[in-house]
Amino acid sequence: MTGNNSKVRSLALTAMLVLSVFAGTMAFAGTAGATSYQNSDANKELATGGQSWVGQQVWFNASNHSSANVSDSKNTVALYKDTDNGPEFVKNVPLNETDYTGVLDTASLQSGTYALKDTQNSTFISFNNSNGNPSGTGTFAQASFEVRDQTFSASFDDDSVMNGGTDANADISFDTNRGRVKVDVTSDDVEFSTLKQIFEDNVSVNKNDESVTIEAVDGDTHAANFSGVNAGNYDFTYTVNDSSGLSATDNITVKKAGDSVAKFDDVSPVPRGDIANITVDMQNTDHAYVQVGNNEDSHFQASFKLTDKDGDGKATFSLNTFETTTGSFVEAANSDTGVDVENSTKLDEPVATGNYDLAVSTTGWENASADYPVADSPTDKTQLRINDRSTDSVSTWIQPESVNTHKDVADMTDTVTQRSTVAGSDNIVLKVDATGIYGALQGSTITNEDMSLTLEESGDNVEKNTAKDTLNANNFTIVKDGDNGTFYAVISADELATADGDADGYGDWKATFTVNKDYVLNGDDENQSVSTTFTYEEQDTSLNGGEDFQAPKGNSTVSGKTNLAPGTELSVVADSNIFYIPQDVTVNDDGTFSAKYNFDRDDVDNGTEFSVYVSSDEDNTKIGGVVNADMNNGTTTTTTTTTTTTTTSSTDTTTTSSTDTTTSSMDTTTTSSTSSSTSTSTSSNDDGQPGFGVAVSVVALLAAALLALRREN
């Protein structure tokens, strides 16, 4: 829950500082008829060698010092603070003109060692430890006292509370470095009579009938009862009553009490040896009492109190069907749930298959003192079905090398592709489908004497006269998905090369997951094993089929193909002595990728040569390229003019795309006459921008020349 302690304290201290300056000004301009500070609201008497807390008002008597005998309305003593350079002046503290007492307001002070000094001479004043009266003079060290910072916070343990029934109580937790303080509680949201009712235990009423005072102990809680309080949102302020400005504010929502109901969400069957996660929905209550099984009928039972800690109306517990041999097989499934176990059965082996009763109550136990208490007046009943376990299959998946976090199932399902080949430094992911093992597996490992996961060479890559190279479960990162009866085992393909010693690891490998016959839940008299094979290949990446290509002076695309995992990110670079253009690309599901470039740049001339390569595999992927402006970025222009002269020309045009190269030869016949027609065919480039042909360029140049000649004439 979120409090406003820091904001309230900052505002209060700011207001207090302004008020203290104003009060100090008034004190300096005091009148002869002022009353003694000893009868003021000072919190304690100043004591030499003692300590005060920042925010306290400390009373002292300076009547027999020379500062008090000056017939001046500005009678003062000086406050000094110990520093690395010795005592330094802080401020003057005014004295009452009648009895020469004063009050030191510590709210604006920093923690440290202080002493009061006679302003008429160089001596510091000592004060009696019991009553704040002067006891002599001396040095700073002989007259000093401590002022210490204090911390305080208060907050409700829950966000909400009911206004009736068993959930009408809310605990307030206190934190203070003073250990124990008295706290005044106020609220603008309730009448004073209601405030007293809420904090009725161990409280005293403040003299102005606006607050109640409770004793706050560091680390302890104080109960508040909201029975009969109207539903709504309430703010409460807790102020340390001897320290001005030190307070904390928190709020709580009071809900209207209705019939408290708790019900089981959908309860799915669970294989024997796995973990059942069961959610209870709650209405008008934050607590429920759950009974799993019945000791009289099935010789198996767990009884526990379930708490909805975040107030969302749901609480989820985990029941480990493998750990029933320990008696500690029920726990909270998340941090938003609390579980307090009353009692549970301890079996000789994991709980047997079959149906087990589930019951939930909102009122408690029928007989709380019984060895196995039964839920009282259940609001819902159902059954948990425990099935036989199985060892089903293992399959090979691959994952990009760049995926190096495997915290949960989402890290796996979002990044893997099922494939029987793996290349380069990609990750090998073995997806194992097996049930009845997740209650036994702890953490991210499957190291267990009754289970094993191995990789071993198979086929032609096994060197002659040598044992097969192998890897075991210790080499894998394990990601469990027990709710779906699956776990993923992840290993880098580089580990295969390491295991293969002097060889490169390329070739066939066999993955095997085995549940040994001795596993307590293996009903067979033999091992249960599942296996799969895959091939480890050298990385193979190519661009444009390995062929050089020509690119228009505009948009161009270079395509490639690789056997690396889909999702792999590559950098494809176009490089020359003029430019260096990297393009980040992602490998598609079919292993293809493409990089787009635009060579329509001022620094790129027609005929500019360059190379294109994958930066991580430059030596094997580099191809040559040349900028060919005659390709016109996909635009072809043809002009026909009728004349008396016939001219035949032959034009060869070569166009190169990412996959195909086509060369065409075209003979054009042009005849001059008094009429002409021009036909222009334009195709769009990758960005939808048309190009400009040679003919258009020539016309533009002629027009410019004619314009220049006209201006010269």
Side-chain angles (χ1 to χ4, degrees), residues 88-268:
E88 292 186 356
F89 174 78
V90 178
K91 65 178 180 178
N92 280 341
V93 181
L95 301 176
N96 180 276
E97 295 177 23
T98 301
D99 61 5
Y100 306 109
T101 60
V103 172
L104 175 62
D105 184 356
T106 66
S108 61
L109 300 182
Q110 297 178 339
S111 61
T113 303
Y114 293 84
L116 292 175
K117 186 178 182 180
D118 193 320
T119 55
Q120 300 303 308
N121 55 51
S122 60
T123 60
F124 289 92
I125 309 170
S126 298
F127 295 92
N128 190 293
N129 290 347
S130 61
N131 56 22
N133 289 318
S135 60
T137 60
T139 64
F140 180 91
Q142 293 170 333
S144 64
F145 56 90
E146 296 293 323
V147 176
R148 296 184 177 180
D149 275 331
Q150 61 174 317
T151 59
F152 173 75
S153 66
S155 60
F156 287 104
D157 290 350
D158 295 308
D159 291 323
S160 61
V161 66
M162 309 306 296
N163 63 1
T166 59
D167 294 320
N169 289 324
D171 287 334
I172 311 156
S173 293
F174 296 101
D175 184 3
T176 172
N177 64 344
R178 291 178 62 179
R180 186 185 301 269
V181 293
K182 289 188 176 180
V183 176
D184 295 334
V185 186
T186 59
S187 176
D188 294 334
D189 298 326
V190 295
E191 298 291 337
F192 182 62
S193 58
T194 303
L195 185 69
K196 289 193 298 182
Q197 171 193 324
I198 294 172
F199 297 93
E200 59 186 1
D201 293 333
N202 302 318
V203 302
S204 59
V205 177
N206 191 279
K207 63 183 180 181
N208 57 6
D209 284 351
E210 292 180 355
S211 66
V212 296
T213 301
I214 62 179
E215 188 171 84
V217 179
D218 180 54
D220 281 357
T221 58
H222 188 95
N225 187 291
F226 289 87
S227 294
V229 177
N230 293 333
N233 192 52
Y234 294 87
D235 290 330
F236 293 89
T237 300
Y238 309 88
T239 303
V240 178
N241 67 4
D242 68 351
S243 303
S244 60
L246 188 61
S247 62
T249 299
D250 201 11
N251 61 75
I252 193 168
T253 300
V254 178
K255 298 179 180 179
K256 183 178 180 181
D259 292 335
S260 298
V261 178
K263 291 187 175 182
F264 293 105
D265 206 342
D266 292 336
V267 179
S268 301

Side-chain angles (χ1 to χ4, degrees), residues 16 66 85 139 142 153 158 214 233 280 308 318 324 368 467-468 537 543-544 683 686 704 706 708:
M16 177 281 307
S66 58
N85 298 320
T139 64
Q142 293 170 333
S153 66
D158 295 308
I214 62 179
N233 192 52
V280 175
D308 171 20
S318 295
T324 54
K468 295 180 180 180
E537 300 176 339
L543 295 171
N544 199 40
S683 61
D686 290 337
L706 290 173

Side-chain angles (χ1 to χ4, degrees), residues 328-382:
S328 301
F329 52 86
V330 175
E331 61 182 18
N334 51 55
S335 60
D336 297 332
T337 299
V339 171
D340 297 309
V341 178
E342 294 287 336
N343 206 345
S344 58
T345 307
K346 184 177 180 179
L347 302 176
D348 293 333
E349 62 179 27
V351 62
T353 59
N355 295 330
Y356 293 88
D357 292 337
L358 295 177
V360 60
S361 166
T362 60
T363 56
W365 307 113
E366 187 175 299
N367 184 358
S369 62
D371 290 340
Y372 295 97
V374 175
D376 180 44
S377 303
T379 57
D380 191 25
K381 289 184 176 181
T382 187

Side-chain angles (χ1 to χ4, degrees), residues 393-659:
S393 65
V394 58
S395 54
T396 306
W397 299 61
I398 58 174
Q399 184 183 60
E401 173 191 5
S402 59
V403 180
N404 53 20
T405 58
H406 302 94
K407 295 180 179 179
D408 52 40
V409 176
D411 291 333
M412 308 305 306
T413 57
D414 293 343
T415 58
V416 297
T417 302
Q418 188 169 7
R419 185 181 292 177
S420 59
T421 59
V422 62
S425 297
D426 282 344
N427 293 331
I428 305 164
V429 180
L430 300 176
K431 180 176 179 287
V432 179
D433 293 310
T435 62
I437 60 175
Y438 302 100
L441 301 181
Q442 302 297 323
S444 58
T445 179
I446 61 165
T447 303
N448 186 295
E449 62 182 6
D450 293 328
M451 301 177 204
S452 63
L453 177 65
T454 60
L455 279 178
E456 66 176 11
E457 290 179 306
S458 63
D460 296 338
N461 57 317
V462 179
E463 293 86 354
K464 293 181 179 179
N465 302 314
T466 63
K468 295 180 180 180
D469 295 318
T470 61
L471 293 166
N472 58 40
N474 291 326
N475 300 101
F476 292 88
T477 297
I478 304 299
V479 180
K480 293 181 291 186
D481 184 13
D483 289 342
N484 293 303
T486 297
F487 73 85
Y488 298 88
V490 186
I491 189 173
S492 170
D494 290 338
E495 296 288 339
L496 303 182
T498 301
D500 206 11
D502 296 333
D504 50 26
Y506 300 136
D508 295 333
W509 290 78
K510 181 179 181 180
T512 303
F513 173 70
T514 300
V515 177
N516 297 338
K517 64 180 180 180
D518 296 329
Y519 181 52
V520 65
L521 299 181
N522 190 347
D524 300 335
D525 292 331
E526 57 186 21
N527 295 343
Q528 295 181 354
S529 294
V530 288
S531 61
T532 185
T533 59
F534 64 90
T535 302
Y536 179 37
E537 300 176 339
E538 183 177 6
Q539 176 181 339
D540 181 16
T541 303
S542 63
L543 295 171
N544 199 40
E547 300 293 332
D548 295 342
F549 77 109
Q550 298 183 59
K553 188 172 170 40
N555 292 307
S556 180
T557 299
V558 178
S559 298
K561 190 172 182 63
T562 183
N563 60 350
L564 295 176
T568 298
E569 296 181 352
L570 300 173
S571 179
V572 183
V573 180
D575 189 6
S576 75
N577 58 357
I578 298 174
F579 54 77
Y580 179 88
I581 310 174
Q583 293 289 350
D584 294 331
V585 301
T586 301
V587 177
N588 299 317
D589 289 343
D590 61 356
T592 62
F593 58 88
S594 60
K596 295 183 179 182
Y597 301 94
N598 189 330
F599 296 111
D600 187 11
R601 299 159 49 122
D602 293 338
D603 58 349
V604 177
D605 297 326
N606 187 28
T608 297
E609 296 182 351
F610 59 93
S611 59
V612 182
Y613 54 86
V614 176
S615 61
S616 60
D617 194 15
E618 179 176 350
D619 293 340
N620 296 319
T621 59
K622 182 178 290 187
I623 60 173
V626 61
V627 175
N628 183 358
D630 294 336
M631 298 175 67
N632 297 325
N633 198 19
T635 301
T636 302
T637 302
T638 303
T639 302
T640 303
T641 304
T642 304
T643 64
T644 57
T645 303
T646 300
T647 302
T648 302
S649 63
S650 178
T651 301
D652 292 333
T653 301
T654 301
T655 301
T656 303
S657 67
S658 59
T659 55

